[in-house]
Every structure is written in C-alpha cells, then in structure tokens.
Tab-separated table of all heavy atoms in Angstrom:
chain	number	residue	atom	x	y	z
A	13	TYR	N	6.286	129.363	61.369
A	13	TYR	CA	7.078	130.593	61.511
A	13	TYR	C	8.565	130.297	61.284
A	13	TYR	O	9.325	131.242	61.180
A	13	TYR	CB	6.838	131.188	62.900
A	13	TYR	CG	7.488	130.448	64.054
A	13	TYR	CD1	8.683	130.871	64.663
A	13	TYR	CD2	6.901	129.286	64.546
A	13	TYR	CE1	9.255	130.224	65.671
A	13	TYR	CE2	7.499	128.596	65.595
A	13	TYR	CZ	8.659	128.998	66.159
A	13	TYR	OH	9.201	128.315	67.170
A	14	GLU	N	8.957	129.026	61.233
A	14	GLU	CA	10.296	128.613	60.953
A	14	GLU	C	10.297	127.512	60.040
A	14	GLU	O	9.555	126.594	60.147
A	14	GLU	CB	11.076	128.325	62.251
A	14	GLU	CG	10.432	127.257	62.984
A	14	GLU	CD	11.125	126.948	64.325
A	14	GLU	OE1	12.040	127.685	64.701
A	14	GLU	OE2	10.768	125.887	65.009
A	15	VAL	N	11.251	127.539	59.044
A	15	VAL	CA	11.371	126.536	57.994
A	15	VAL	C	12.786	126.040	57.966
A	15	VAL	O	13.780	126.902	57.905
A	15	VAL	CB	10.928	127.006	56.623
A	15	VAL	CG1	11.010	125.902	55.569
A	15	VAL	CG2	9.477	127.572	56.710
A	16	SER	N	13.033	124.716	57.912
A	16	SER	CA	14.381	124.180	57.983
A	16	SER	C	14.853	123.690	56.648
A	16	SER	O	14.137	123.122	55.865
A	16	SER	CB	14.431	122.986	58.957
A	16	SER	OG	14.123	123.471	60.267
A	17	TYR	N	16.165	124.013	56.323
A	17	TYR	CA	16.790	123.515	55.165
A	17	TYR	C	18.073	122.776	55.558
A	17	TYR	O	18.715	123.122	56.559
A	17	TYR	CB	17.213	124.692	54.266
A	17	TYR	CG	16.041	125.361	53.530
A	17	TYR	CD1	15.208	126.320	54.157
A	17	TYR	CD2	15.812	125.104	52.197
A	17	TYR	CE1	14.203	126.960	53.553
A	17	TYR	CE2	14.776	125.785	51.544
A	17	TYR	CZ	13.950	126.629	52.175
A	17	TYR	OH	12.921	127.276	51.537
A	18	VAL	N	18.444	121.773	54.748
A	18	VAL	CA	19.642	120.990	55.006
A	18	VAL	C	20.464	120.954	53.758
A	18	VAL	O	19.931	120.984	52.625
A	18	VAL	CB	19.266	119.591	55.509
A	18	VAL	CG1	18.549	118.789	54.409
A	18	VAL	CG2	20.519	118.812	55.946
A	19	LEU	N	21.776	120.938	53.907
A	19	LEU	CA	22.687	120.729	52.779
A	19	LEU	C	22.936	119.298	52.640
A	19	LEU	O	23.608	118.648	53.433
A	19	LEU	CB	24.012	121.492	53.039
A	19	LEU	CG	24.968	121.593	51.877
A	19	LEU	CD1	24.378	122.372	50.674
A	19	LEU	CD2	26.274	122.278	52.325
A	20	PRO	N	22.483	118.695	51.506
A	20	PRO	CA	22.678	117.267	51.342
A	20	PRO	C	24.077	116.783	51.427
A	20	PRO	O	24.975	117.418	50.979
A	20	PRO	CB	22.105	117.039	49.856
A	20	PRO	CG	21.166	118.179	49.707
A	20	PRO	CD	21.743	119.313	50.388
A	21	GLY	N	24.239	115.596	52.005
A	21	GLY	CA	25.569	115.005	52.231
A	21	GLY	C	26.375	115.590	53.380
A	21	GLY	O	27.534	115.236	53.558
A	22	THR	N	25.708	116.535	54.128
A	22	THR	CA	26.390	117.159	55.279
A	22	THR	C	25.449	117.170	56.475
A	22	THR	O	24.308	116.811	56.368
A	22	THR	CB	26.806	118.622	54.956
A	22	THR	OG1	25.683	119.458	55.015
A	22	THR	CG2	27.537	118.693	53.615
A	23	SER	N	25.980	117.596	57.573
A	23	SER	CA	25.135	117.778	58.768
A	23	SER	C	24.635	119.236	58.921
A	23	SER	O	23.992	119.596	59.929
A	23	SER	CB	25.846	117.358	60.063
A	23	SER	OG	27.036	118.106	60.191
A	24	PHE	N	24.987	120.035	57.979
A	24	PHE	CA	24.635	121.479	58.014
A	24	PHE	C	23.170	121.739	57.785
A	24	PHE	O	22.610	121.338	56.762
A	24	PHE	CB	25.494	122.261	57.060
A	24	PHE	CG	25.072	123.736	56.957
A	24	PHE	CD1	25.230	124.507	58.106
A	24	PHE	CD2	24.666	124.338	55.834
A	24	PHE	CE1	24.894	125.868	58.146
A	24	PHE	CE2	24.320	125.737	55.757
A	24	PHE	CZ	24.521	126.455	56.909
A	25	GLN	N	22.553	122.468	58.749
A	25	GLN	CA	21.121	122.754	58.651
A	25	GLN	C	20.932	124.148	59.068
A	25	GLN	O	21.589	124.711	59.990
A	25	GLN	CB	20.317	121.808	59.613
A	25	GLN	CG	18.813	121.955	59.447
A	25	GLN	CD	18.076	120.773	60.116
A	25	GLN	OE1	18.384	119.618	59.839
A	25	GLN	NE2	17.098	121.042	60.935
A	26	ILE	N	19.931	124.837	58.475
A	26	ILE	CA	19.631	126.219	58.755
A	26	ILE	C	18.164	126.314	58.948
A	26	ILE	O	17.349	125.657	58.263
A	26	ILE	CB	20.143	127.180	57.631
A	26	ILE	CG1	20.012	128.635	58.082
A	26	ILE	CG2	19.415	126.921	56.292
A	26	ILE	CD1	20.790	129.580	57.143
A	27	GLU	N	17.736	127.178	59.949
A	27	GLU	CA	16.290	127.485	60.123
A	27	GLU	C	16.037	128.905	59.674
A	27	GLU	O	16.683	129.881	60.184
A	27	GLU	CB	15.922	127.287	61.571
A	27	GLU	CG	15.781	125.837	61.973
A	27	GLU	CD	14.999	125.652	63.269
A	27	GLU	OE1	14.897	126.662	63.999
A	27	GLU	OE2	14.588	124.532	63.567
A	28	VAL	N	15.116	129.062	58.798
A	28	VAL	CA	14.733	130.417	58.305
A	28	VAL	C	13.481	130.811	59.077
A	28	VAL	O	12.453	130.179	59.018
A	28	VAL	CB	14.409	130.339	56.798
A	28	VAL	CG1	14.051	131.708	56.274
A	28	VAL	CG2	15.646	129.803	56.022
A	29	HIS	N	13.613	131.957	59.768
A	29	HIS	CA	12.530	132.454	60.601
A	29	HIS	C	11.807	133.588	59.866
A	29	HIS	O	12.407	134.618	59.658
A	29	HIS	CB	13.004	132.926	61.975
A	29	HIS	CG	13.503	131.813	62.860
A	29	HIS	ND1	12.786	131.413	63.941
A	29	HIS	CD2	14.655	131.085	62.826
A	29	HIS	CE1	13.423	130.450	64.588
A	29	HIS	NE2	14.545	130.209	63.884
A	30	VAL	N	10.536	133.418	59.629
A	30	VAL	CA	9.675	134.544	59.210
A	30	VAL	C	9.076	135.245	60.462
A	30	VAL	O	8.573	136.266	60.361
A	30	VAL	CB	8.612	134.096	58.260
A	30	VAL	CG1	9.222	133.601	56.969
A	30	VAL	CG2	7.693	133.033	58.892
A	31	GLY	N	9.223	134.601	61.603
A	31	GLY	CA	8.846	135.117	62.900
A	31	GLY	C	9.832	134.516	63.918
A	31	GLY	O	10.338	133.393	63.748
A	32	LEU	N	10.083	135.232	64.999
A	32	LEU	CA	10.994	134.745	65.945
A	32	LEU	C	10.344	133.746	66.909
A	32	LEU	O	10.971	132.872	67.499
A	32	LEU	CB	11.613	135.887	66.784
A	32	LEU	CG	12.571	136.737	66.014
A	32	LEU	CD1	12.965	137.956	66.740
A	32	LEU	CD2	13.846	136.007	65.556
A	33	PHE	N	8.984	133.888	67.122
A	33	PHE	CA	8.208	133.010	67.985
A	33	PHE	C	6.924	132.633	67.269
A	33	PHE	O	6.494	133.312	66.368
A	33	PHE	CB	7.909	133.709	69.320
A	33	PHE	CG	9.168	134.031	70.122
A	33	PHE	CD1	9.735	135.305	70.012
A	33	PHE	CD2	9.699	133.089	70.929
A	33	PHE	CE1	10.904	135.588	70.690
A	33	PHE	CE2	10.897	133.406	71.642
A	33	PHE	CZ	11.486	134.629	71.574
A	34	ASN	N	6.355	131.537	67.719
A	34	ASN	CA	5.148	131.004	67.060
A	34	ASN	C	3.943	131.864	67.470
A	34	ASN	O	3.421	131.778	68.554
A	34	ASN	CB	4.915	129.567	67.500
A	34	ASN	CG	3.738	128.919	66.863
A	34	ASN	OD1	3.153	129.475	65.960
A	34	ASN	ND2	3.377	127.671	67.249
A	35	SER	N	3.488	132.673	66.560
A	35	SER	CA	2.355	133.577	66.836
A	35	SER	C	1.047	132.836	66.959
A	35	SER	O	-0.006	133.356	67.363
A	35	SER	CB	2.258	134.673	65.801
A	35	SER	OG	2.101	134.120	64.493
A	36	ASP	N	1.000	131.558	66.491
A	36	ASP	CA	-0.219	130.727	66.586
A	36	ASP	C	-0.431	130.191	68.068
A	36	ASP	O	-1.497	129.723	68.354
A	36	ASP	CB	-0.192	129.573	65.618
A	36	ASP	CG	-0.220	130.075	64.160
A	36	ASP	OD1	-0.871	131.136	63.974
A	36	ASP	OD2	0.236	129.391	63.278
A	37	SER	N	0.612	130.297	68.840
A	37	SER	CA	0.581	129.809	70.231
A	37	SER	C	0.130	130.888	71.102
A	37	SER	O	0.784	131.958	71.089
A	37	SER	CB	1.875	129.213	70.632
A	37	SER	OG	1.882	128.978	72.034
A	38	LYS	N	-0.869	130.681	71.947
A	38	LYS	CA	-1.308	131.761	72.869
A	38	LYS	C	-0.158	132.174	73.755
A	38	LYS	O	-0.124	133.373	74.170
A	38	LYS	CB	-2.482	131.245	73.601
A	38	LYS	CG	-3.179	132.309	74.534
A	38	LYS	CD	-4.376	131.775	75.242
A	38	LYS	CE	-4.990	132.896	76.164
A	38	LYS	NZ	-6.160	132.385	76.889
A	39	ALA	N	0.681	131.251	74.138
A	39	ALA	CA	1.741	131.592	75.116
A	39	ALA	C	2.761	132.582	74.521
A	39	ALA	O	3.336	133.361	75.183
A	39	ALA	CB	2.412	130.313	75.566
A	40	PHE	N	2.976	132.490	73.175
A	40	PHE	CA	4.070	133.272	72.584
A	40	PHE	C	3.567	134.231	71.508
A	40	PHE	O	4.377	134.877	70.890
A	40	PHE	CB	5.037	132.328	71.903
A	40	PHE	CG	5.459	131.125	72.755
A	40	PHE	CD1	5.171	129.823	72.374
A	40	PHE	CD2	6.134	131.380	73.984
A	40	PHE	CE1	5.510	128.798	73.195
A	40	PHE	CE2	6.505	130.255	74.780
A	40	PHE	CZ	6.239	128.984	74.353
A	41	GLN	N	2.269	134.408	71.358
A	41	GLN	CA	1.740	135.145	70.219
A	41	GLN	C	2.127	136.613	70.242
A	41	GLN	O	2.196	137.259	69.202
A	41	GLN	CB	0.211	135.057	70.150
A	41	GLN	CG	-0.523	135.475	71.383
A	41	GLN	CD	-1.993	135.171	71.296
A	41	GLN	OE1	-2.480	134.669	70.340
A	41	GLN	NE2	-2.708	135.498	72.400
A	42	ASN	N	2.356	137.182	71.375
A	42	ASN	CA	2.733	138.601	71.439
A	42	ASN	C	4.227	138.942	71.501
A	42	ASN	O	4.608	140.124	71.499
A	42	ASN	CB	2.039	139.283	72.672
A	42	ASN	CG	0.556	139.229	72.611
A	42	ASN	OD1	-0.075	139.372	71.498
A	42	ASN	ND2	-0.118	138.961	73.712
A	43	MET	N	5.047	137.862	71.554
A	43	MET	CA	6.485	138.099	71.691
A	43	MET	C	7.107	138.713	70.520
A	43	MET	O	8.061	139.515	70.576
A	43	MET	CB	7.207	136.815	72.102
A	43	MET	CG	6.887	136.407	73.474
A	43	MET	SD	7.836	134.914	73.959
A	43	MET	CE	7.262	134.597	75.693
A	44	ASN	N	6.588	138.400	69.308
A	44	ASN	CA	7.158	138.986	68.093
A	44	ASN	C	7.052	140.461	68.039
A	44	ASN	O	7.845	141.151	67.374
A	44	ASN	CB	6.544	138.342	66.834
A	44	ASN	CG	6.905	136.931	66.627
A	44	ASN	OD1	8.134	136.613	66.736
A	44	ASN	ND2	6.040	136.053	66.216
A	45	ASP	N	5.988	141.021	68.675
A	45	ASP	CA	5.807	142.487	68.746
A	45	ASP	C	6.960	143.183	69.413
A	45	ASP	O	7.110	144.371	69.227
A	45	ASP	CB	4.438	142.801	69.451
A	45	ASP	CG	3.270	142.257	68.721
A	45	ASP	OD1	3.355	142.011	67.449
A	45	ASP	OD2	2.209	142.077	69.303
A	46	LEU	N	7.647	142.480	70.232
A	46	LEU	CA	8.748	143.111	70.989
A	46	LEU	C	10.015	143.288	70.154
A	46	LEU	O	10.993	143.875	70.488
A	46	LEU	CB	9.171	142.223	72.222
A	46	LEU	CG	8.038	142.090	73.276
A	46	LEU	CD1	8.419	141.063	74.322
A	46	LEU	CD2	7.674	143.400	73.877
A	47	PHE	N	9.945	142.823	68.886
A	47	PHE	CA	11.104	142.795	67.978
A	47	PHE	C	10.731	143.511	66.710
A	47	PHE	O	11.332	143.203	65.596
A	47	PHE	CB	11.610	141.435	67.676
A	47	PHE	CG	12.112	140.690	68.943
A	47	PHE	CD1	11.226	139.897	69.763
A	47	PHE	CD2	13.405	140.805	69.363
A	47	PHE	CE1	11.631	139.275	70.903
A	47	PHE	CE2	13.854	140.195	70.499
A	47	PHE	CZ	12.987	139.402	71.284
A	48	CYS	N	9.858	144.449	66.682
A	48	CYS	CA	9.334	145.047	65.412
A	48	CYS	C	10.424	145.927	64.788
A	48	CYS	O	10.303	146.204	63.562
A	48	CYS	CB	8.041	145.909	65.741
A	48	CYS	SG	8.249	147.115	66.981
C-alpha cells in the first residue's frame, strides 16, 4: 500500500501511498474506509 522512492546522491526519500493503511492486515483493514 506504500512504495518508497529515493533521490540518488541525497537523503531525500518519499513514500507514495495508494492506501493510508495496510488493508491486508486484519488490524488496519477497515481504516482506509474512514478516508474515502
């Protein structure tokens, strides 16, 4: 649900979220529904 990119030669990193929480986890699977 999140994919990380880094800018080579720097410490800059970004996480791209296609979901805010891991829907594959039973603990968090319904949390994304709160942000529809």
Side-chain angles (χ1 to χ4, degrees):
Y13 72 103
E14 58 182 8
V15 181
S16 298
Y17 287 81
V18 64
L19 187 62
T22 76
S23 59
F24 176 58
Q25 186 165 312
I26 190 168
E27 284 195 344
V28 181
H29 290 255
V30 296
L32 291 171
F33 297 92
N34 184 6
S35 58
D36 292 332
S37 168
K38 186 178 179 182
F40 312 117
Q41 60 186 356
N42 296 321
M43 289 185 180
N44 286 319
D45 295 339
L46 300 174
F47 297 91
C48 56

